[in-house]
Amino acid sequence: AKTATFKAAKLKESGKYLNNPYRGWFGLTAYTLTEGGADNYVAQRLENDLEDDAYKQDLVLAEFNLKNYNGRDGNPTQIGANGIAQFKQVLDAWSNKGKHLIIRLVYDPRTTTAEDASLYGDEDYNGMPAAKAAEPASIETLKGHITQLAPIINSHKSCVYMVQGTSMGAWGEMHTSNFTPDIDGSRKTTYANIKNVISHMGAQIDKSIFLAVRRPSYYRNTVSSSAPSSSAAFKGSLAA
């Protein structure tokens, strides 16, 4: 048998940046898709982001606000050609920069002011009624947006690490939504709607890209009541 020996390694402290997108730190940015032309907010925001030292992190959480396609107040229910092009433009730029992305699709990425609460007259949702007013009236519209954007997400699967949430509610965090009526106590409607959307995402989005819901209880009640077995964990199922 061999005898183990100790040999001290000579280590040198370094401040060199490590390219490791999965260590947990990420930058945060947001874009609102519009039917504007090339000289638009998205292009300007993207240019600023790519030059900003705050985005030296290798992992970036990018929120995309789809409120301009919610079918309310004269808005269309489908993302137009310019909105699709803007979405692709953002993913192309971050991919070319060598970054990895967490994508979150939202309809209301902000808190609601007292003015909003007065306007919408709904004080029952923690002072954030604008989240409900910003999202589509139909869950099929929401699913349609996922269908429209999925091919672009899939074509960038080498840089898209995760699609986070199901687009519902304030900040896309799956609360304060017409589709997640948590205050009813039973949550049956909440779970049914989340299962509807997350199953659609599982069918549309490449299996190599992770999906995420907000709470463990959402996972247990909509996807699987237990963790997948070791033999099933890497087979591309929705639960995995």
Side-chain angles (χ1 to χ4, degrees), residues 29 105 155:
T29 188
L105 307 177
S155 68

Side-chain angles (χ1 to χ4, degrees), residues 195-206:
K195 185 173 184 178
N196 185 351
V197 175
I198 202 72
S199 297
H200 182 70
M201 293 173 68
Q204 295 291 322
I205 294 175
D206 191 276

